[in-house]
Amino acid sequence: MIAALFKAFAQLPDRSLNRVLGRGILGALAIYIALVAAVWTILSQVTFFAEAWADIGTGLALGLAVLVLPLLFFPALATAIMSPMLDQAAEAVEARHYPHLAPARPQPWTEALLTTLRFLAVMVVINLLALPIYAVLLLTGLTFILVTVVNGYLLGREYFELVALRRLDLATGRLVFKNNLGRLWLAGAVISVLFSVPLLNLAAPVIGTAFMVHVVQRLKGPMA
């Protein structure tokens, strides 16, 4: 698994991966700039207090908040923009490292939609069930461990399906996931850590996809 992670990082300079990464970051940056510009325009037209000093101070405070707060969600926004293009990243990794593979199967849009909706439902349910434990562990400093464990399953499942369903039908993909749950859970935990590191989390979707391609190719019953 360590070798798979090194291979994923080593391929980052690949033009195809850079294209996906660049579009995600530039798209998120464009949305961020548009949002900040729109809110600042609105703030400049609103009067909060009759006193000039209070009105200026409030406007500056809100403007600063508008500049800073969206940055907290910037990686998530970039990830959302990259998500539809991650199949291209998987294809680039397969072309470089596994040229013997047959062409990927066409995936019906209904299957892709069903997979996405099911993943979202599982993510919501698991995190809701884990909330009481989060509250307890928040005081112990072990929250990061729990988040990594929970998200390890979720991200392991999401990225496995992203890669494996390019070659397997949904039923077979579920069986392979079940038979390799431990390994894929651990791979998901690695991806979860990538998402937790500032700046690195911008590239985490692309690195995670490349990493999972290598992991999947080493599972029982290779994805031919």
Side-chain angles (χ1 to χ4, degrees):
M1 193 165 292
I2 294 177
L5 189 60
F6 276 125
K7 285 183 179 179
F9 274 98
Q11 197 173 346
L12 266 183
D14 187 288
R15 182 176 298 179
S16 298
L17 300 190
N18 273 326
R19 188 181 301 118
V20 174
L21 182 59
R23 287 175 179 174
I25 293 176
L26 289 176
L29 183 61
I31 293 174
Y32 168 75
I33 292 174
L35 175 64
V36 170
V39 174
W40 269 84
T41 299
I42 294 173
L43 288 177
S44 66
Q45 306 298 321
V46 176
T47 300
F48 297 97
F49 298 99
E51 294 83 356
W53 65 269
D55 186 63
I56 294 174
T58 301
L60 289 175
L62 291 174
L64 183 61
V66 169
L67 284 174
V68 174
L69 290 179
L71 291 177
L72 300 177
F73 302 95
F74 192 90
L77 182 58
T79 298
I81 295 174
M82 287 182 217
S83 292
M85 299 181 285
L86 291 179
D87 187 70
Q88 300 172 28
E91 183 177 2
V93 175
E94 289 178 347
R96 177 170 176 177
H97 293 277
Y98 310 100
H100 62 280
L101 294 176
R105 74 180 182 93
Q107 187 178 3
W109 70 268
T110 51
E111 180 182 286
L113 179 61
L114 178 62
T115 300
T116 301
L117 292 177
R118 191 182 69 253
F119 169 76
L120 290 175
V122 170
M123 181 174 64
V124 170
V125 170
I126 288 180
N127 279 286
L128 285 176
L129 292 175
L131 276 178
I133 307 176
Y134 285 145
V136 172
L137 295 184
L138 185 62
L139 301 177
T140 67
L142 298 176
T143 307
F144 175 77
I145 297 176
L146 178 63
V147 169
T148 301
V149 170
V150 172
N151 287 338
Y153 173 80
L154 298 172
L155 292 171
R157 181 171 177 170
E158 179 184 22
Y159 280 83
F160 167 77
E161 291 186 348
L162 168 69
V163 171
L165 295 186
R166 300 179 74 248
R167 304 188 172 278
L168 302 176
D169 58 66
L170 190 56
T172 306
R174 287 177 180 175
L175 181 61
V176 173
F177 181 81
K178 180 180 178 181
N179 291 340
N180 297 275
L181 178 59
R183 186 177 181 85
L184 291 169
W185 198 326
L186 181 58
V190 171
I191 297 173
S192 177
V193 172
L194 295 177
F195 273 99
S196 69
V197 179
L199 296 182
L200 183 60
N201 55 9
L202 293 174
V206 172
I207 298 173
T209 300
F211 169 62
M212 187 58 76
V213 169
H214 296 301
V215 171
V216 165
Q217 287 301 316
R218 285 162 176 75
L219 295 180
K220 291 178 288 186
M223 310 291 137

